[in-house]
C-alpha cells in the first residue's frame, strides 16, 4: 500500500476574510464583486486595513486535498510558502487537517506568502484581491521525488503552468509518480492559461497525464472547435480519461472512448466558490477506492453540492455520511 492515495501540487494561498461595507470598499479603491490580482505593496496595505480577519488555508488543489481529507484519504500537499506569519499559519493549518505538508516554510523566502483578501459586503458580495507571492514561484526543486513515488496519484493545478519552472515541476512530479506505479492528472484551472500555453498544455496532457479535469470553458479552450462535443472527442483522443463538469447540465466523463453522463439536480448556490475543487475531491476519492466511473462522478457531484450550500470552498458536513446517504458507500 502506498503511503499517499493522492498528492496535490498547487498554489498555497491563505484566504483572509473580513466583513465590510460599501463605503470601506470605495475608500480603499476596491472594485466590488470581482477578483483582482494585486502587487506586494497593495497586498500589505489591504491586509493591514482588514479588521476582524478570519484566515483559512486555500488554493484550488489544496481545497481538493482538504476535501479528500474529509473523506479520510491519505493525502499530501506540495506548495511554497515563506517563513512569515501567514506561511507558518498555512503549514500548521494543513498539517492540523491531517494533510502531510511536505515543504517547510522557506527561510528568507524571495517573496511573502500568497494571500487572497476577501471583503464580504452586507449583501453577500465577495470582493477578492489576490497576491500570488511566493506560491507562484514553485519549481522542480520543491518536488520531492520520494513523496511522488510513494503516491497512488498526483493532482496538479493548472494555474502553476504559467511559468517555465512550474512546467518543469509538473513534469518531474508526473514522471516520479509514474515511476512508482501511480497516475498523474491535472485540473486545467484557467482557460486563459491554456490560451497562453496551448501547445505545452496539450503536450503535457498527451504525454504525461492519465486524466484531465475541467469545466466546459476549460475543456473547450484546448482545441477551440466552438463545439463541446468536438472538443471532448479531440481531448479524449490524446488522453484516456477526460472529465468535463457542466454546472447545472451535469458531468460528462469520456473513459477510453466510452461516454458516461452524470446528472445533477439544479439548485441555487449560496456560494459557488470551490464547487470544481470539491467535485475533484469526490471524483478522485472514487478512483482511489476502485469505484466505477459513474459512481466516482456521482461522488464528485455530491461533494460539489455540499460545498455550494454554504460559504467557503471546503466541506463542512461529513462527506462519507453524505455518500452513504446517497448509496455511494
Amino acid at each position: 500500500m502506498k503511503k499517499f492515495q493522492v498528492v496535490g501540487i498547487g498554489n498555497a494561498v491563505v484566504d483572509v476574510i473580513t466583513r465590510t461595507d460599501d463605503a470601506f470598499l470605495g475608500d480603499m479603491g476596491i472594485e466590488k464583486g470581482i477578483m483582482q490580482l494585486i502587487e506586494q505593496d497593495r497586498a500589505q496595505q489591504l491586509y493591514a486595513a482588514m479588521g476582524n480577519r478570519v484566515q483559512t488555508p486555500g488554493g484550488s488543489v489544496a481545497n481538493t486535498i482538504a476535501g479528500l481529507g474529509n473523506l479520510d484519504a491519505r493525502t499530501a500537499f506540495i506548495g511554497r510558502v515563506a517563513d512569515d506569519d501567514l506561511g507558518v499559519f498555512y503549514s500548521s493549518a494543513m498539517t492540523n487537517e491531517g494533510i502531510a505538508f511536505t515543504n517547510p516554510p522557506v527561510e528568507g523566502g524571495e517573496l511573502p506568502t500568497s494571500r487572497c483578501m476577501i471583503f464580504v459586503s452586507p449583501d453577500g458580495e465577495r470582493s477578492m484581491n489576490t497576491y500570488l507571492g511566493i506560491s507562484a514561484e514553485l519549481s522542480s526543486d520543491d518536488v520531492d521525488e520520494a513523496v511522488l513515488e510513494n503516491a497512488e496519484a498526483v493532482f496538479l493545478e493548472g494555474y502553476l503552468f504559467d511559468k517555465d519552472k512550474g512546467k518543469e515541476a509538473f513534469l518531474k512530479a508526473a514522471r516520479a509518480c509514474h515511476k512508482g506505479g501511480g497516475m498523474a492528472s491535472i485540473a486545467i484551472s484557467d482557460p486563459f492559461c491554456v490560451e497562453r500555453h496551448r501547445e505545452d498544455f496539450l503536450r503535457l496532457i498527451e504525454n504525461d497525464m492519465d486524466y484531465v479535469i475541467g469545466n466546459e470553458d476549460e475543456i473547450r479552450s484546448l482545441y477551440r472547435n466552438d463545439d463541446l462535443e468536438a472538443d471532448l472527442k479531440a481531448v479524449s483522443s490524446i488522453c484516456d480519461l477526460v472529465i468535463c463538469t457542466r454546472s447545472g447540465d451535469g458531468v460528462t466523463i469520456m473513459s477510453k472512448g466510452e461516454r458516461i453522463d452524470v446528472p445533477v439536480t439544479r439548485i441555487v448556490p449560496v456560494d459557488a466558490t470551490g464547487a470544481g475543487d470539491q467535485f475533484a475531491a469526490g471524483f478522485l476519492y472514487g478512483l482511489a477506492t476502485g469505484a466505477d466511473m459513474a459512481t466516482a462522478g456521482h461522488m464528485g457531484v455530491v461533494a460539489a453540492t455540499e460545498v455550494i450550500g454554504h460559504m467557503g470552498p471546503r466541506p463542512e458536513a461529513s462527506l462519507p455520511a453524505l455518500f452513504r446517504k446517497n448509496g455511494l458507500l
Side-chain angles (χ1 to χ4, degrees), residues 183 210-211 235-237 239-242 253-260 293:
M183 300 180 73
D210 297 290
Y211 50 104
V235 182
S236 62
S237 72
C239 188
D240 282 346
L241 180 55
V242 180
I253 301 169
M254 303 291 289
S255 177
K256 295 182 178 178
E258 179 188 1
R259 178 177 179 136
I260 302 103
M293 290 297 161

Side-chain angles (χ1 to χ4, degrees), residues 152-193:
E152 295 176 14
V154 61
F155 188 49
L156 308 171
E157 183 175 322
Y159 287 123
L160 285 174
F161 204 69
D162 245 341
K163 293 187 176 183
D164 286 343
K165 62 175 70 176
K167 296 176 185 178
E168 292 165 2
F170 281 8
L171 289 173
K172 181 179 179 181
R175 292 169 184 176
C177 191
H178 283 150
K179 182 180 178 181
M183 300 180 73
S185 61
I186 189 168
I188 299 175
S189 299
D190 182 1
F192 298 107
C193 184

Side-chain angles (χ1 to χ4, degrees), residues 24-244:
F24 176 86
L25 297 180
D27 290 344
M28 297 301 297
I30 298 169
E31 289 194 51
K32 184 176 179 178
I34 67 168
M35 193 284 283
Q36 286 184 301
L37 292 177
I38 58 175
E39 298 299 327
Q40 182 176 344
D41 289 349
R42 176 67 167 164
Q44 292 171 336
Q45 177 195 23
L46 292 181
Y47 184 76
M50 299 178 85
N52 298 316
R53 296 185 292 251
V54 175
Q55 297 179 172
T56 61
S60 177
V61 163
N63 290 335
T64 295
I65 296 299
L68 283 160
N70 182 289
L71 288 157
D72 296 322
R74 303 184 307 279
T75 59
F77 182 73
I78 295 173
R80 190 172 178 83
V81 298
D83 64 343
D84 51 21
D85 289 345
L86 287 179
V88 172
F89 162 78
Y90 192 98
S91 176
S92 298
M94 294 289 278
T95 301
N96 291 341
E97 291 185 20
I99 299 162
F101 191 76
T102 65
N103 302 62
V106 179
E107 294 185 15
E110 65 273 32
L111 292 169
T113 296
S114 310
R115 73 221 39 196
C116 177
M117 285 154 290
I118 304 169
F119 300 87
V120 183
S121 308
D123 59 2
E125 279 278 12
R126 293 156 64 90
S127 307
M128 296 180 283
N129 287 254
T130 302
Y131 169 61
L132 293 178
I134 197 172
S135 73
E137 301 303 316
L138 185 135
S139 73
S140 59
D141 292 339
D142 299 301
V143 176
D144 185 340
E145 290 177 303
V147 171
L148 276 302
E149 289 176 15
N150 210 358
E152 295 176 14
V154 61
F155 188 49
L156 308 171
E157 183 175 322
Y159 287 123
L160 285 174
F161 204 69
D162 245 341
K163 293 187 176 183
D164 286 343
K165 62 175 70 176
K167 296 176 185 178
E168 292 165 2
F170 281 8
L171 289 173
K172 181 179 179 181
R175 292 169 184 176
C177 191
H178 283 150
K179 182 180 178 181
M183 300 180 73
S185 61
I186 189 168
I188 299 175
S189 299
D190 182 1
F192 298 107
C193 184
V194 174
E195 292 287 340
R196 293 188 289 271
H197 308 280
R198 180 171 289 103
E199 289 186 8
D200 286 344
F201 237 114
L202 290 173
R203 190 178 300 112
L204 177 78
I205 291 170
E206 181 171 12
N207 297 322
D208 295 282
M209 294 295 106
D210 297 290
Y211 50 104
V212 58
I213 300 177
N215 64 30
E216 183 173 348
D217 289 338
E218 292 160 358
I219 294 295
R220 291 174 70 130
S221 71
L222 290 168
Y223 281 95
R224 298 180 298 174
N225 286 309
D226 198 29
D227 179 342
L228 179 61
E229 297 305 316
D231 286 317
L232 281 169
K233 184 177 180 180
V235 182
S236 62
S237 72
I238 65 168
C239 188
D240 282 346
L241 180 55
V242 180
I243 304 96
C244 178

